[in-house]
């Protein structure tokens, strides 16, 4: 359904042929390691913008002259060049949304590698130990963003382009001015066999290059913790090498291992102290492919045992950073370092935290809180209203809640420069187990709105006005239903509706969930997605039970260009989920509806039923034709209208939410046809939810009753 094939999108973006420019066809490439796509994306860029090829050629000539001059005139002692960095973390809420700690790990690795301070630098083979290059670059996460606001150097963007990792992704996030920041994007997927890519400075010279400059890297090649590994952590150093004007050790191609590389087939890497090599995809420290020992441990090879840059590579990179080509020389100026805040002491400028799960839990369950405040928090004080513990000074406290209710959380963070406090009012909702017994019916007739802390709750992480809402304009039964105005929603936003808890513990086999919904396409490009999940532990884990993509989702034929509203019963369709197995028969059963809008239209839900399949549903049997209550809500009395298709013995009970019988207005033989029964409600019934239950010879039918 989802057309996230990076090959297809990449070709479409650059008007190339049908061959994957990322595919590694060389037999020498180790399939266990992903490689670099620098040369492929460069050629794709030139094919789309052919005029840039000549501009890049002239810029490269200029940069070579500047590099030769720098190498000849360089001082014995170089100054450290500080480079401000921003990480654009592009994600869809999965593991690719890497942590601040993992990003900091990547910065640490860069600073080690570019200062010859990596732990294995002394293990470099003897033949190259004397030419290990100390580049003396220091990378620091930016503390001030382009608008002058406080930042931690991380820009998190929720976007489906994380599955592409291509130039559309840069458009989705925006690029921070490349004269002030090194832009690094992390994502879920780039292309087959590719861990990352960037451009050498000459490729993105001139004003044209501002829109493309920077590094793209898979999330699991960032740093040495989290989703990455110590071995993969140096992939970013490889890409920064390209960004600072280094080529692969075998030359200007992405074809390591070819014998022709020795005779110029791969050209030169333009560095005199890196021996000519065919290039490696394995770690053979004694490898000699071009009549001399190869520098297999070089960061610009594919050996994955790399440890070093050479002195010549160091000079080449420093020359690039002192050149106006692609504005590299502006990054480390005192003015820019001040403007990006990297010279100042870490100031607490932002307090916030996230939870490891949604904040609607059951009594006795725990939530882990994660402090994401910045910069450089030294102390923190948490206050958990209703929580156990009530306070904490930990980074990531685990808190349990023992009493139903709605509770706030406060966090104060501080260091020597100051403090910040954040209060999230009514954040945690603690539910009782088994709020409702079966059978359960919800037609949204007595709910005025879907509240943040109501029985039915909408999760709206983007904070937009589009969410699950009650409407009195459309209903299958009664006068209300619940809907998402997908016609006006942002593409790929997911709107989630979650239920209260249900007691399924008394069932013997399984349970059945049914509901009615209505939906329409907008046009041929619609790609809406609807999912239903269930939980047996109050939402701690959710299990998928129903998926309907755009081929199955619409309940009406054709396209509806405007706002879709069902106007007849035929516009609705029933979904019956009967694969709710015995492991879900708990007192903490919940239901979640998820609707993803993609160039689509509105969706409506009505008449949700959860019941024992051994009982009757009023909407799904041939005996009970009608079972309605009015008025509802009621105060003094309520009238039950009942239509039977045949004579039978019937018992009518009013039961509370716990299943206890509080009234029994009728028991005996009832004839076929329509019957009206008056049920008296006195003040001994406390206001709340009840059920009117009809038990017949062939099962049970139920309707919900609200007593005011």
């Amino acid at each position: 359904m989802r057309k996230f094939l990076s090959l297809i999108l990449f070709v479409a973006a650059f008007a190339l042929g049908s061959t994957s420019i990322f595919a590694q066809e060389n037999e020498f490439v180790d399939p266990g390691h992903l490689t670099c796509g620098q040369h492929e994306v460069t050629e794709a860029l030139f094919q789309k913008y052919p005029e840039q090829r000549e501009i890049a050629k002239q810029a490269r000539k200029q940069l070579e002259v500047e590099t030769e001059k720098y190498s000849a005139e360089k001082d014995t002692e170089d100054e450290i060049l500080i480079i401000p960095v921003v990480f654009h973390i592009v994600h869809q809420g999965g593991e690719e949304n890497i942590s601040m700690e993992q990003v900091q790990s990547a910065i640490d690795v860069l600073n080690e590698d570019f200062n010859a301070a990596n732990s294995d630098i002394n293990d470099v083979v003897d033949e190259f130990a004397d030419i290990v290059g100390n580049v003396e670059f220091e990378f620091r996460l930016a503390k001030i963003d382009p608008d002058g606001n406080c930042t931690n150097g991380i820009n998190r963007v929720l976007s489906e382009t994380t599955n592409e990792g291509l130039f559309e992704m840069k458009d989705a996030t925006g690029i921070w001015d490349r004269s002030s920041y090194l832009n690094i994007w992390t994502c879920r997927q780039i292309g087959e066999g590719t861990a990352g890519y960037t451009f050498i400075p000459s490729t993105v010279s001139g004003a044209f290059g501002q829109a493309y400059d920077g590094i793209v890297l898979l999330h699991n090649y960032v740093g040495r913790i989290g989703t990455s590994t110590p071995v993969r952590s140096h992939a970013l150093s490889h890409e920064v090498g390209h960004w600072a004007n280094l080529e692969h050790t075998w030359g200007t191609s992405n074809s390591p291992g070819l014998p022709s590389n020795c005779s110029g087939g791969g050209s030169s890497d333009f560095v005199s102290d890196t021996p000519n090599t065919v290039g490696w995809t394995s770690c053979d420290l004694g490898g000699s492919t071009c009549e001399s020992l190869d520098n297999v441990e070089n960061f610009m090879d594919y050996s994955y045992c790399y440890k070093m840059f050479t002195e010549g590579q160091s000079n080449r990179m420093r020359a690039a950073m002192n050149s106006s080509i692609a504005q590299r020389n502006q990054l480390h100026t005192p003015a820019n370092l001040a403007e990006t805040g990297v010279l100042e002491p870490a100031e607490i400028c932002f307090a916030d935290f996230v939870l490891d799960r949604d904040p609607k839990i059951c009594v006795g369950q725990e939530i882990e809180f994660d402090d994401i405040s910045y910069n450089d928090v030294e102390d923190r004080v948490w206050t958990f209203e209703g929580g156990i513990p009530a306070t904490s000074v930990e980074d990531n406290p685990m808190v349990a809640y023992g009493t139903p209710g709605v509770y706030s959380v406060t966090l104060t963070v501080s260091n020597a420069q100051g403090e910040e406090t954040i209060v999230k009012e009514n954040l945690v909702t603690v539910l009782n187990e088994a709020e409702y017994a079966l059978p359960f019916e919800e037609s949204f007739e007595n709910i005025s709105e879907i509240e943040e802390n109501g029985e039915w709750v909408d999760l709206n992480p983007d904070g937009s006005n589009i969410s699950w809402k009650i409407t009195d304009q459309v209903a299958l039964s009664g006068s209300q239903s619940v809907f998402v105005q997908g016609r006006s929603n942002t593409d790929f936003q997911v709107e989630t509706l979650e239920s209260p808890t249900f007691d399924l513990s008394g069932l013997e086999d399984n349970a059945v969930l049914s509901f009615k919904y209505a939906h329409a396409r907008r046009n041929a490009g619609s790609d809406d997605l609807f999912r239903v999940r269930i939980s047996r532990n109050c939402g701690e884990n959710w299990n998928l039970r129903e998926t309907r993509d755009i081929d199955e989702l619409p309940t009406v034929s054709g396209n509806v260009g405007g706002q879709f509203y069902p106007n007849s019963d035929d516009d609705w369709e029933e979904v019956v989920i009967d694969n709710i197995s015995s492991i879900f028969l708990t007192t903490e059963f919940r239901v979640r509806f998820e609707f993803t809008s993609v160039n689509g239209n509105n969706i409506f839900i009505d008449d949700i039923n959860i019941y024992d399949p051994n009982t009757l549903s009023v909407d799904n049997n041939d005996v009970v034709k009608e079972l309605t209550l009015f008025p509802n809500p009621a105060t003094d009395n309520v009238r039950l209208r009942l239509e039977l298709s045949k004579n039978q013995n019937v018992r009518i009970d009013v039961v509370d939410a716990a299943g206890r019988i509080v009234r029994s207005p009728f028991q005996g033989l009832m004839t076929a046809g329509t019957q009206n029964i008056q049920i008296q409600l006195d003040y001994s019934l406390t206001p709340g939810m009840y059920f009117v239950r009809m038990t017949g010879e062939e099962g049970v039918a139920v309707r919900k009753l609200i007593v005011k």
Side-chain angles (χ1 to χ4, degrees), residues 13-17 21 40-53:
F14 294 97
L16 299 179
I21 65 171
E40 288 82 1
V41 294
T42 297
E43 183 58 29
L45 190 69
F46 288 159
Q47 288 194 36
K48 185 176 183 183
Y49 302 104
E51 67 278 6
Q52 185 65 17
R53 191 186 296 272

Side-chain angles (χ1 to χ4, degrees), residues 361-365 401-405 430-437 500-505 536-538 585-590 657-658:
I361 65 173
C362 280
V363 169
Q365 290 187 321
Y401 289 84
T403 305
V430 183
L431 308 174
N432 263 321
E433 296 180 5
E435 291 183 293
Y436 295 106
T501 60
F502 303 100
D503 184 2
L504 273 59
S505 62
R536 63 190 179 96
N537 49 20
C538 201
L585 304 184
T586 71
T587 59
E588 297 181 347
F589 180 81
R590 294 178 67 196

Side-chain angles (χ1 to χ4, degrees), residues 113 118 121 124-125 128 131-133 234-235 237-238 241-242 246-250 269 271 273-275 277 279-280 282-285 294-314 317:
D113 291 350
N118 42 306
I121 193 65
V124 170
V125 297
F128 297 104
I131 61 167
V132 169
H234 303 289
S237 300
H238 178 104
H242 284 312
L246 293 187
E247 295 287 355
H248 293 132
T249 54
W250 61 88
D269 69 347
V271 180
D273 62 358
T274 55
T277 178
W280 289 85
S282 60
C283 188
D284 182 355
L285 299 183
D294 292 352
N295 187 201
V296 176
E297 296 171 302
N298 197 289
F299 285 120
M300 301 312 294
D301 213 316
Y302 281 172
S303 66
Y304 275 83
C305 63
Y306 19 54
K307 302 178 178 68
M308 63 173 289
F309 293 110
T310 67
E311 291 177 349
Q313 288 175 318
S314 174
M317 287 189 283

Side-chain angles (χ1 to χ4, degrees), residues 430-483:
V430 183
L431 308 174
N432 263 321
E433 296 180 5
E435 291 183 293
Y436 295 106
L438 298 193
F440 174 83
E441 181 273 338
E442 180 63 83
S443 56
F444 301 101
E445 297 303 302
N446 302 296
I447 299 178
S448 58
E449 61 180 314
I450 302 296
E451 299 176 307
E452 183 177 355
N453 298 302
E455 289 185 344
W456 289 86
V457 61
D458 171 79
L459 302 182
N460 188 18
D462 65 330
S464 72
N465 189 46
I466 304 298
S467 61
W468 287 98
K469 295 182 178 180
I470 296 293
T471 176
D472 59 4
Q473 303 300 307
V474 171
L476 179 59
S477 64
S479 60
Q480 294 191 159
S481 63
V482 66
F483 85 121

Side-chain angles (χ1 to χ4, degrees), residues 472-543:
D472 59 4
Q473 303 300 307
V474 171
L476 179 59
S477 64
S479 60
Q480 294 191 159
S481 63
V482 66
F483 85 121
V484 171
Q485 193 174 4
R487 177 64 177 78
S488 304
N489 208 5
T490 303
D491 281 354
F492 295 97
Q493 290 296 328
V494 181
E495 309 303 340
T496 302
L497 179 69
E498 293 184 356
S499 75
T501 60
F502 303 100
D503 184 2
L504 273 59
S505 62
L507 277 63
E508 295 182 359
D509 299 317
N510 58 9
V512 175
L513 163 67
S514 69
F515 59 92
K516 309 288 181 58
Y517 81 95
H519 174 270
R521 284 178 178 266
R522 186 198 313 183
N523 52 43
S526 296
D527 202 14
D528 291 346
L529 180 68
F530 182 54
R531 294 187 176 100
V532 183
R533 302 181 191 270
I534 60 175
S535 173
R536 63 190 179 96
N537 49 20
C538 201
E540 184 173 352
N541 305 105
W542 293 97
N543 297 83

Side-chain angles (χ1 to χ4, degrees), residues 111-133:
N111 287 329
E112 293 167 5
D113 291 350
F114 281 82
N115 290 276
N118 42 306
S119 61
D120 53 2
I121 193 65
N122 293 325
D123 298 331
V124 170
V125 297
D126 293 342
E127 288 82 354
F128 297 104
D130 291 339
I131 61 167
V132 169

Side-chain angles (χ1 to χ4, degrees), residues 690-706:
Y690 296 84
F691 296 93
V692 175
R693 182 176 66 196
M694 187 217 81
T695 304
E697 295 174 358
E698 299 185 23
V700 178
V702 177
R703 279 295 187 231
K704 183 171 66 176
L705 169 66
I706 301 298

